[in-house]
Amino acid sequence: MRPELVIFDCDGVLVDSEGPLSELVVADLATRGFEVSAADFHDRFTGGTMKDVDRRLREAGADLPEDWVAFIYQRIFARMAEGVEMTAGAVALIDWLEARGVAVAVASNGPMEKMRGSLGPSGLLERLGARVFSAHDHGTAKPEPGLLLIAAEAAGVAPERAVMVDDSPVGHWAARDAGMQFFGYVEHGNAAKMEAEGVATVHSMAELQAGLEALLDG
């Protein structure tokens, strides 16, 4: 079905931030006696909300203070303010989609302050404006479908006419339950987890454009 809306996740899709942020968290965990590599942390713990990451770390034996989520978010905000790399071709793909008459939105489990650091320098945050949706503002987070449905409703697009692009299984589960098409974006990691979901995966914005073009012209 020809898409009328493409919804992007932010971290790990539009911006290459998962690596730097994983390293930041891993360094903090090491000070608390919990040793894990950045690659292993990304594979085992990223995806979902930071509260979920906190829960899973505690279950794995990490000794964290009660206010760890708030503490680590402040560290994350400071790191994002230093700047992170946009994914190569991301802005050009958004340009291409809008030239084809396809609406674009962002739906992230992260707070808006985090996206100010990730999307602000490129101008995407200002450009997309009210089309950027944070789970912290809407009270629903992936893997629940609610945030994606809110984005589709705001665009005036039926869910079956929307495509979600995410680098995490939680994004796939949200898209599935929302009745949306889906691409797993694995340029920055999570390839094995996404392939285990049995979804279409892409390794670059060029591959993603080719996949979306097939849907648009099919």
Side-chain angles (χ1 to χ4, degrees):
M1 187 172 291
R2 187 184 191 279
E4 299 174 359
L5 169 68
V6 176
I7 305 171
F8 291 93
D9 180 41
C10 184
D11 296 302
V13 178
L14 292 177
V15 292
D16 183 12
S17 54
E18 294 288 18
L21 296 187
S22 292
E23 291 172 2
L24 181 154
V25 176
V26 163
D28 177 73
L29 293 173
T31 68
R32 305 178 192 280
F34 188 85
E35 299 288 342
V36 60
S37 70
D40 193 30
F41 174 82
H42 182 269
D43 183 59
R44 292 170 60 191
F45 298 108
T46 58
T49 65
M50 190 56 70
K51 286 184 179 180
D52 186 52
V53 171
D54 176 89
R55 176 185 59 79
R56 283 182 282 158
L57 283 168
R58 292 175 191 275
E59 289 174 352
D63 183 15
L64 304 178
E66 282 189 22
D67 64 347
W68 184 78
V69 170
F71 167 82
I72 206 66
Y73 260 135
Q74 292 306 311
R75 299 286 302 276
I76 287 171
F77 297 155
R79 175 63 183 85
M80 298 299 278
E82 297 174 6
V84 292
E85 292 292 326
M86 290 292 299
T87 296
V91 175
L93 177 60
I94 290 172
D95 292 341
W96 176 81
L97 284 167
E98 294 188 332
R100 293 289 303 263
V102 179
V104 172
V106 175
S108 172
N109 278 350
M112 193 63 71
E113 185 173 352
K114 185 179 179 185
M115 286 188 279
R116 289 191 188 99
S118 57
L119 300 179
S122 68
L124 273 183
L125 187 67
E126 182 178 4
R127 173 178 172 179
L128 296 176
R131 292 177 286 165
V132 178
F133 299 89
S134 165
H136 288 242
D137 295 336
H138 293 278
T140 179
K142 297 172 285 183
E144 297 170 358
L147 195 64
L148 307 191
L149 294 173
I150 289 168
E153 183 179 8
V157 173
E160 61 269 21
R161 293 279 186 181
V163 177
M164 178 63 191
V165 183
D166 205 301
D167 69 324
S168 170
V170 299
H172 171 231
W173 302 333
R176 177 196 62 201
D177 292 347
M180 296 180 179
Q181 301 172 81
F182 183 80
F183 283 99
Y185 196 85
V186 298
E187 177 178 359
H188 306 305
N190 279 352
K193 286 197 289 187
M194 296 308 293
E195 288 166 2
E197 292 289 308
V199 300
T201 57
V202 292
H203 296 77
S204 67
M205 287 293 162
E207 281 189 24
L208 178 57
Q209 180 171 329
L212 291 169
E213 190 166 22
L215 292 178
L216 289 168
D217 296 338

